[in-house]
Amino acid sequence: MLVPGETMLVLECAPAAYINYALNEAEKGSNIKVLHVSSVGRFGRMWLSGSEARFLTARNAAVTAL
């Protein structure tokens, strides 16, 4: 659940299965909340939330993994 003061990240990639790897790296890189993950279909999507600093660290880890 997204609460006031948190930042939300939505990341999309293709093929969909890669989003699981990106999520794993994001979780290893930072202490964030996973709101939702969709890894079926053509595109994979993940929704994350957390503080600004944690969000940026998680985003960088996920994008580097992809």
Side-chain angles (χ1 to χ4, degrees):
M1 184 164 106
L2 189 63
V3 296
E6 290 186 346
T7 304
M8 186 170 107
L9 166 70
V10 178
L11 183 67
E12 181 178 83
C13 73
Y18 287 3
I19 204 68
N20 295 317
Y21 178 62
L23 176 63
N24 187 31
E25 294 300 314
E27 285 183 310
K28 282 193 234 176
S30 183
N31 185 16
I32 47 150
K33 293 185 217 170
V34 178
L35 300 177
H36 183 73
V37 178
S38 174
S39 60
V40 295
R42 189 171 183 185
F43 298 99
R45 293 177 185 91
M46 69 176 172
W47 290 263
L48 308 174
S49 71
S51 68
E52 186 78 22
R54 288 179 180 174
F55 161 85
L56 292 174
T57 305
R59 183 200 63 191
N60 292 341
V63 170
T64 300
L66 292 174

